């Protein structure tokens, strides 16, 4: 209509209160199933296959446990020189990783590539024949790195102090910043002599097959063990040393502190306890080591302790590690199973030309439905953090299967949400990490892109632009608190920006994401923005966003439904105890990161992004995947459901046409969002009453009250505002 000679359109604001999504759902109950029944994806478990190998050796059982009569008392075997020295046989396999040159500016040496060397023979030059011409199936790790082995199962002869006790002798454990507190980077013996040892109590008879060792994680000290013996026992008193012919086997250890070294036992040893006895160490260092033990626990149905703590899953999913080709094939299988709700697409290519594939799950794949929010999970920004990658692949299988089974909860989620799953943002890094495998890649092999860039902090630093503008005096105009533009330098072809970073940036700008989670590894916590400290010269400082209460709730929704994150009894992964905030943490109060994905998404788009650290072990063994899925399954679903909390609505003109790019403001919250191309919007908020205003250039602002409740369901407000 025309008024006072000027044409003006009325702006209509339609608000819809959205109920708070409940997060009380619990994970599946533990099943009392046999230890070995874990994988159900039409694959024979690794431990069910016959192993053509030498018969395992078992030390004598403790007195009173034998089934026969006339057993002699066990005592250690004494080396005896043979009458004629036989020709040395081929030594057991030892695998090792050589250092990978760190990218410029990275303070780390924890990465490597595969090399091989032979075992150091026993001092008498004898060796024991091992069936190397036949395939030998290795046992999985016992779980020192994954914390399956508790601190009470680790013992040592002596230790320098508590922070260097046996409980710190876990593969890939990281030291605290000061390295003189309770959290140091290895077990270190109190004395440097040949009588020191570190011991693992498996708490059941176990077929031990190998030992993996590392040196001490430290920025300042160089400590590692260069050779060691291995002993086993059934009672922790009588020990049998692993032999090489008639002499004790001396295993070659580490040549530096971060590269894991695997030594396989010449013959599997069946026992309850295993002990590592250092025989030599770095000349200028001390006896310090981190380790993992490879072993297959033997079935013991009468042992209630182990049956009570075993985890199995009933989901028929593909529990294995998938390389790039297998990942694409799995996506294709899911798409063929659920063609009506899935779509495969790519957001770009990696530095090496590998496509960055994503799977969309929606009842109308390929299109944005007006009023339907969009959600994403991103995994694999660090190529060596593999657990997140596999969880995303498991999730897409699960959603497809449950939708076909008409699970009401999953059907509602798929039909009311457009879900995007990007399992591998850094496939080049994954290729490096997978070459090392789940145990021998160290802490950093494959972390960076092929050209040495850490994607996690490769986004433009918009925090500094915002904070510097807010701190200036006598501003000519109000500083925008959202949709901060990307600096020109970042868009330059000469900028140090990974092609993967540019691809995901364009993806986030193209689609109107409301909520997202990037899955990472090496810890067990959910981190929310800001990730960068505001004060100069500080490395840790609580830096809340204007939506701090919303972010804290979003983080808690994942952590509280995870099986372990909020368990006050669990051991910390490395050095940080996140239980004081129930398994959540403000990113900047943990460690400052400039240019993080979380901060960039919040300041440049509508998307609320959080970092979800899904496990202490970045690259768990394949046998651990069923349990890790059970740990995270409920959390993954609950977090997706949070995209429907807060308010959503449409901004239309008087003709009913949606207005794109309209600004949505909430009174008291200094952060705005904008409408999508169709005029629809979603604003994440906690329960409460809010005053919401919509503004668009050339239109009259519209303000309304909106109540966000706890109850399920939505209330629709169809009032219209008049124009001027």
């Amino acid at each position: 209509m025309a008024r006072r000679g000027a044409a003006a359109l009325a702006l209509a604001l339609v608000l819809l209160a959205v109920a708070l999504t409940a997060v009380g759902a619990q994970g599946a109950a533990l099943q009392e199933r046999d230890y070995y029944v874990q994988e159900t994806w039409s694959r024979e478990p690794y431990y069910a296959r016959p192993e053509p190998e030498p018969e395992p050796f078992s030390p004598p059982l403790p007195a009173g446990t034998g089934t026969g009569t006339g057993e002699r008392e066990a005592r250690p075997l004494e080396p005896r020189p043979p009458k004629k020295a036989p020709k040395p046989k081929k030594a057991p396999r030892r695998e090792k990783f050589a250092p990978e040159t760190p990218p410029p500016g990275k303070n780390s040496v924890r990465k490597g590539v595969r090399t091989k060397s032979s075992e150091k023979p026993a001092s008498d030059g004898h060796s024991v024949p091992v069936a190397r011409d036949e395939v030998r199936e290795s046992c999985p790790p016992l779980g020192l790195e994954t914390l399956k082995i508790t601190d009470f199962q680790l013992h040592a002869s002596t230790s320098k102090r508590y922070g260097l006790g046996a409980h710190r002798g876990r593969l890939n454990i990281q030291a605290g910043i000061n390295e003189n507190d309770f959290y140091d980077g290895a077990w270190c013996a109190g004395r440097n002599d040949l009588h020191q040892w570190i011991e693992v109590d498996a708490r059941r008879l176990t077929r031990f097959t190998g030992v993996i060792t590392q040196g001490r994680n430290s920025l300042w000290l160089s400590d590692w063990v260069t050779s060691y013996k291995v002993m086993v026992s059934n009672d922790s008193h009588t020990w049998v040393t692993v032999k090489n012919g008639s002499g004790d086997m001396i295993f070659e250890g580490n040549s530096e502190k971060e590269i894991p070294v695997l030594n396989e036992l010449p013959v599997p040893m069946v026992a309850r306890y295993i002990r590592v006895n250092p025989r030599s160490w770095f000349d200028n260092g001390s006896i310090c080591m981190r380790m993992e033990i490879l072993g297959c626990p033997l079935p013991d149905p009468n042992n209630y302790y182990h049956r009570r703590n075993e985890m199995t899953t009933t989901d028929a999913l593909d529990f294995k590690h998938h390389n790039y080709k297998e990942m694409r094939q799995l996506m294709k299988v899911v798409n063929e199973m659920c063609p009506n709700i899935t779509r495969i697409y790519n957001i770009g290519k990696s530095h090496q030309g590998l496509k960055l594939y994503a799977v969309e799950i929606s009842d109308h794949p390929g299109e944005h439905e007006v009023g339907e929010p969009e959600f994403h999970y991103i995994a694999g920004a660090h190529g060596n953090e593999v657990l997140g990658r596999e969880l995303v692949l498991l999730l897409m299988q699960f959603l497809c299967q449950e939708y076909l089974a008409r699970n009401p909860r999953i059907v509602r989620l798929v039909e009311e949400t457009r879900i995007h799953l990007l399992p591998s943002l850094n496939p080049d890094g994954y290729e490096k990490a997978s070459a090392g495998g789940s145990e021998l890649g160290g802490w950093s092999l494959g972390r960076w892109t092929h050209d040495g860039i850490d994607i996690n902090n490769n986004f433009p630093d918009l925090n500094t632009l915002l904070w510097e503008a807010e701190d200036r005096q006598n501003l000519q105009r109000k500083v925008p608190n959202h949709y901060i533009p990307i600096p020109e330098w970042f868009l330059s072809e000469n900028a140090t920006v990974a092609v993967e970073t540019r691809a995901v940036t364009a993806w986030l700008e193209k689609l109107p994401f409301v909520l997202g989670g990037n899955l990472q590894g090496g810890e067990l916590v959910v981190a929310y923005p800001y990730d960068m400290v505001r004060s100069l010269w500080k490395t840790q400082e609580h830096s809340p966003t204007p939506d701090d209460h919303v972010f804290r709730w979003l983080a808690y929704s994942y952590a509280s439904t995870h099986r372990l994150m909020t368990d006050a009894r669990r051991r910390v992964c490395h050095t940080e105890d996140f239980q004081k905030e129930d398994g959540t943490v403000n990113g900047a109060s943990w460690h400052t990161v400039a240019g993080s994905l979380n901060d960039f998404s919040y300041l440049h788009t509508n998307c609320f992004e959080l970092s979800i650290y899904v496990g202490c072990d970045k690259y768990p063994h394949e046998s651990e995947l069923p349990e890790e899925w059970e740990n995270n399954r409920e959390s993954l679903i609950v977090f997706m459901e949070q995209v429907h909390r807060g308010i959503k609505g449409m901004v239309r003109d008087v003709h009913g046409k949606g207005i794109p790019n309209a600004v949505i403001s909430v009174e008291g919250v200094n952060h705005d969002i904008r409408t999508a191309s169709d005029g629809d919007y979603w604003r994440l908020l906690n329960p409460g009453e809010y005053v919401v205003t919509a503004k668009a250039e050339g239109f009259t602002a519209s303000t309304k009250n909106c109540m966000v409740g706890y109850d399920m369901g939505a209330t629709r407000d169809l009032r219209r505002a008049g124009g001027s």
Side-chain angles (χ1 to χ4, degrees):
M1 69 180 69
R3 178 175 298 181
R4 296 181 181 178
L9 295 178
L11 175 68
L13 170 66
V14 182
L15 296 176
L16 186 61
V18 181
L20 174 65
T21 305
V23 296
Q26 302 297 320
L30 300 181
Q31 300 294 321
E32 290 283 335
R33 300 177 62 189
D34 185 80
Y35 176 84
Y36 290 97
V37 183
Q38 293 187 14
E39 301 182 0
T40 55
W41 183 265
S42 67
R43 297 190 302 112
E44 185 181 20
Y46 68 89
Y47 31 69
R49 307 187 190 110
E51 297 184 359
E53 61 178 21
E55 191 70 23
F57 174 83
S58 177
L61 293 171
T65 61
T67 56
T69 58
E71 295 186 15
R72 290 185 294 179
E73 180 181 356
R75 59 175 181 265
L77 300 178
E78 297 293 337
R80 182 177 59 185
K83 296 180 180 179
K84 184 177 180 180
K87 182 179 179 180
K89 304 293 183 179
K90 185 176 179 180
R93 184 179 67 187
R94 172 178 171 270
E95 296 183 45
K96 178 180 177 182
F97 290 81
E100 172 191 18
T101 303
K106 301 295 188 298
N107 185 17
S108 175
V109 295
R110 308 181 187 110
K111 41 210 168 285
V113 294
R114 183 181 295 271
T115 63
K116 290 187 178 181
S117 63
S118 58
E119 291 290 358
K120 180 179 178 181
S123 57
D124 58 4
H126 303 303
S127 60
V128 61
V130 180
R132 289 296 172 193
D133 295 334
E134 300 178 357
V135 177
R136 173 174 171 175
E137 195 75 43
S138 178
C139 287
L142 289 187
L144 276 76
E145 184 176 7
T146 62
L147 306 184
K148 239 180 179 179
I149 296 296
T150 69
D151 289 351
F152 299 105
Q153 293 175 257
L154 298 172
H155 309 279
S157 52
T158 60
S159 59
K160 284 189 175 181
R161 60 175 183 272
Y162 178 79
L164 293 168
H167 64 292
R168 302 297 294 177
R170 301 173 181 271
L171 191 72
N172 286 324
I173 203 166
Q174 301 298 291
I177 296 176
N178 299 321
E179 296 188 26
N180 59 0
D181 51 13
F182 287 105
Y183 304 111
D184 221 313
W187 161 68
C188 290
R191 299 184 298 273
N192 290 335
D193 59 45
L194 299 180
H195 303 291
Q196 305 306 308
W197 48 262
I198 182 171
E199 170 189 315
V200 179
D201 175 8
R203 287 183 172 168
R204 66 194 295 178
L205 287 179
T206 301
R207 188 172 77 251
F208 298 114
T209 62
V211 177
I212 302 173
T213 59
Q214 278 176 314
R216 177 180 178 178
N217 174 245
S218 172
L219 292 174
W220 323 112
L221 301 174
S222 297
D223 299 318
W224 60 82
V225 170
T226 57
S227 68
Y228 58 89
K229 291 182 181 181
V230 176
M231 296 172 279
V232 294
S233 173
N234 282 318
D235 58 6
S236 77
H237 297 291
T238 302
W239 293 88
V240 174
T241 304
V242 174
K243 298 292 182 180
N244 185 18
S246 60
D248 294 347
M249 185 81 177
I250 304 295
F251 294 94
E252 187 176 348
N254 299 82
S255 58
E256 61 89 69
K257 56 188 176 184
E258 290 296 344
I259 302 172
V261 175
L262 165 65
N263 282 295
E264 291 185 334
L265 305 186
V267 176
M269 307 289 283
V270 176
R272 170 174 169 174
Y273 302 87
I274 186 168
R275 177 179 287 184
V276 174
N277 168 221
R279 309 303 295 174
S280 62
W281 45 94
F282 180 56
D283 289 341
N284 298 322
S286 302
I287 296 178
C288 295
M289 66 189 311
R290 295 172 286 169
M291 68 177 187
E292 180 63 85
I293 303 297
L294 305 183
C296 296
L298 301 184
D300 186 3
N302 296 321
N303 192 324
Y304 172 74
Y305 174 84
H306 296 289
R307 291 177 58 82
R308 179 170 57 91
N309 287 276
E310 287 165 3
M311 166 59 65
T312 59
T313 182
T314 58
D315 294 329
L317 308 177
D318 192 13
F319 293 108
K320 59 168 287 186
H321 287 299
H322 298 80
N323 60 31
Y324 184 76
K325 182 178 179 180
E326 292 168 337
M327 179 187 73
R328 289 186 304 167
Q329 181 61 31
L330 179 60
M331 290 179 171
K332 183 179 179 181
V333 170
V334 172
N335 179 243
E336 291 173 348
M337 288 178 59
C338 299
N340 295 329
I341 63 168
T342 61
R343 178 178 69 99
I344 303 174
Y345 67 100
N346 72 82
I347 69 169
K349 292 183 179 181
S350 70
H351 187 275
Q352 292 292 88
L354 299 178
K355 292 182 179 179
L356 308 178
Y357 284 107
V359 170
E360 175 190 342
I361 300 178
S362 171
D363 58 342
H364 292 87
E367 63 178 277
H368 171 70
E369 298 180 68
V370 176
E372 186 169 285
E374 307 216 10
F375 175 92
H376 70 250
Y377 274 128
I378 299 173
H382 294 149
N384 64 331
E385 294 172 4
V386 179
L387 178 56
R389 169 190 174 111
E390 295 303 331
L391 288 176
V392 170
L393 293 176
L394 290 168
L395 179 62
M396 66 177 65
Q397 299 172 59
F398 179 79
L399 293 177
C400 173
Q401 291 182 6
E402 294 301 303
Y403 184 85
L404 293 177
R406 306 308 294 172
N407 180 327
R409 183 184 184 190
I410 301 303
V411 170
R412 182 172 60 251
L413 183 64
V414 171
E415 292 182 350
E416 297 179 359
T417 318
R418 192 183 184 197
I419 303 167
H420 302 261
L421 305 177
L422 178 62
S424 187
L425 181 57
N426 181 10
D428 297 347
Y430 174 80
E431 293 302 309
K432 289 184 180 180
S434 63
S438 61
E439 309 309 318
L440 299 181
W443 187 248
S444 299
L445 177 65
R447 175 184 176 91
W448 298 286
T449 63
H450 184 78
D451 49 345
I453 296 176
D454 187 338
I455 298 177
N456 194 49
N457 58 354
N458 191 224
F459 295 86
D461 173 16
L462 303 182
N463 304 59
T464 300
L465 297 178
L466 172 66
W467 295 335
E468 287 181 351
E470 289 179 344
D471 292 339
R472 293 193 194 103
Q473 301 296 325
N474 302 320
L475 294 174
Q476 297 295 323
R477 58 185 178 85
K478 185 178 179 181
V479 178
N481 59 18
H482 70 294
Y483 272 57
I484 299 175
I486 296 177
E488 290 296 327
W489 67 263
F490 185 87
L491 302 176
S492 169
E493 292 183 0
N494 297 325
T496 307
V497 180
V499 293
E500 296 88 349
T501 306
R502 296 192 189 278
V504 77
T505 298
W507 187 50
L508 294 173
E509 291 178 328
K510 180 180 179 180
L511 298 176
F513 289 117
V514 179
L515 178 62
N518 56 89
L519 305 187
Q520 302 190 43
E523 263 297 349
L524 204 54
V525 68
V526 181
Y528 54 90
Y530 290 123
D531 289 331
M532 181 179 176
V533 297
R534 185 160 186 168
S535 301
L536 296 176
W537 314 114
K538 286 190 176 182
T539 58
Q540 294 176 309
E541 179 186 51
H542 184 71
S543 300
T545 67
D547 286 288
D548 187 59
H549 291 292
V550 177
F551 274 114
R552 289 166 66 103
W553 170 258
L554 292 171
Y556 183 71
S557 72
Y558 194 100
S560 63
T561 50
H562 189 280
R563 290 186 61 251
L564 298 175
M565 276 192 192
T566 56
D567 186 353
R569 300 168 298 175
R570 77 170 182 88
R571 183 195 187 282
V572 299
C573 291
H574 300 282
T575 63
E576 301 287 343
D577 185 0
F578 299 107
Q579 293 306 311
K580 58 185 178 182
E581 293 188 44
D582 294 318
T584 69
V585 66
N586 173 257
S589 67
W590 182 13
H591 56 263
T592 185
V593 175
S596 74
L597 173 58
N598 294 348
D599 291 1
F600 170 76
S601 296
Y602 182 69
L603 295 176
H604 184 67
T605 75
N606 286 342
C607 185
F608 284 35
E609 186 89 22
L610 291 85
S611 294
I612 303 170
Y613 294 79
V614 292
C616 300
D617 190 350
K618 293 181 177 182
Y619 196 159
H621 190 272
E622 192 170 281
S623 61
E624 299 292 331
L625 293 179
E627 182 168 350
E628 293 294 352
W629 168 246
E630 289 296 323
N631 289 342
N632 288 275
R633 179 184 58 188
E634 179 66 17
S635 301
L636 289 167
I637 298 171
V638 165
F639 188 72
M640 285 191 290
E641 291 172 334
Q642 303 312 300
V643 76
H644 294 282
R645 69 193 320 270
I647 60 175
K648 67 178 182 181
M650 286 286 300
V651 178
R652 299 188 179 99
D653 59 22
V654 292
H655 303 292
K657 183 179 179 180
I659 302 176
N661 218 33
V663 177
I664 307 298
S665 302
V666 177
E667 187 178 276
V669 181
N670 188 28
H671 182 79
D672 303 334
I673 64 166
R674 300 197 182 193
T675 58
S677 58
D678 296 312
D680 50 350
Y681 74 91
W682 307 262
R683 182 57 165 96
L684 297 177
L685 290 169
N686 284 345
E689 186 174 355
Y690 300 92
V691 178
V692 183
T693 300
K695 296 174 289 186
E697 188 175 351
F699 297 90
T700 303
S702 176
T703 300
K704 294 191 177 182
N705 293 330
C706 183
M707 174 69 72
V708 178
Y710 289 94
D711 297 335
M712 295 297 292
T715 57
R716 185 180 298 270
D717 188 346
L718 298 178
R719 293 177 297 170
R720 291 180 177 271
S724 58

